[in-house]
Amino acid sequence: PGLTKTEKDYVDGLKSGVNFDISAYYHLKNIVAIGLKFSNYSASSDGFLLGYDISGMPMSIPVTTKDNITFFGPALMISNFSEATRHKMFIDMGLGVISYTTKTGNVKGTGSNLGAEINFAYQYQISKNFLIGPKVGLTAGTLNKMKFNGQTFEFGEDQKEGLHRVSLSAAATFRF
């Protein structure tokens, strides 16, 4: 609310980006595995924001922002990988550290907190050791404070930075 179309386009540019994640699991029983999970989301946006010069005259200021959200932590996976079917499904859940880095011009902000990641995937078994298919994921966390150029800022209850995102991607599994 209250944003110009240019400002809205700039903010929207940060809402879609590139997601990469990798996990490694050790199967304990037929359907349960434990492991580690890492994910990285990156987005950037270029635009022009309205500002004012020293005399109060409006001027357009070019800005570029680069955002990065990472998650790392232990995870649990439940799957039907041991069943005699080429149609495989898994759900995995991780609880760990979620970190956020943002850079606009010469201002860099960083923050970390407890985060969670959950994924559900269907995969088709191409060969004994290779599976591929669609995956839906949710990553979530909330920052209570951030550092901007080395100075820490605490956020009030209504100002916390939400790091929630939903992803739709292709998941490839290599089994050893």
Side-chain angles (χ1 to χ4, degrees):
L3 296 178
T4 66
K5 180 177 179 347
T6 304
E7 292 168 335
K8 186 176 179 328
D9 291 346
Y10 175 74
V11 171
D12 286 346
L14 296 172
K15 292 182 181 180
S16 62
V18 175
N19 181 66
F20 167 80
D21 64 75
I22 188 166
S23 304
Y25 289 99
Y26 175 77
H27 283 268
L28 299 174
K29 300 235 180 215
N30 285 344
I31 67 168
V32 178
I34 58 170
L36 293 173
K37 171 177 277 307
F38 171 82
S39 70
N40 181 18
Y41 170 77
S42 300
S44 64
S45 187
D46 299 312
F48 291 90
L49 300 179
L50 181 61
Y52 298 92
D53 66 14
I54 296 172
S55 65
M57 296 295 294
M59 59 185 281
S60 190
I61 302 168
V63 290
T64 297
T65 298
K66 295 181 180 182
D67 283 355
N68 188 283
I69 300 171
T70 59
F71 172 85
F72 180 75
L76 176 72
M77 178 175 69
I78 298 170
S79 72
N80 70 338
F81 286 172
S82 62
E83 292 182 13
T85 177
R86 287 192 173 273
H87 303 279
K88 308 293 187 179
M89 289 186 275
F90 74 82
I91 185 167
D92 69 355
M93 301 153 276
L95 194 61
V97 176
I98 193 165
S99 300
Y100 175 58
T101 303
T102 185
K103 186 163 179 20
T104 303
N106 60 357
V107 177
K108 181 177 180 181
T110 60
S112 296
N113 204 353
L114 182 65
E117 187 162 298
I118 185 167
N119 296 287
F120 174 76
Y122 163 81
Q123 295 181 311
Y124 185 76
Q125 187 173 8
I126 304 292
S127 69
K128 180 181 177 193
N129 296 323
F130 181 70
L131 302 89
I132 192 162
K135 180 177 79 170
V136 175
L138 172 66
T139 304
T142 303
L143 298 181
N144 301 319
K145 63 183 176 179
M146 284 184 70
K147 282 187 180 180
F148 291 95
N149 289 351
Q151 185 175 357
T152 301
F153 292 88
E154 301 273 341
F155 298 139
E157 279 301 313
D158 60 342
Q159 297 175 331
K160 294 182 180 180
E161 182 71 29
L163 301 177
H164 309 76
R165 66 182 174 82
V166 175
S167 61
L168 177 61
S169 59
T173 297
F174 300 95
R175 299 189 69 200
F176 303 100

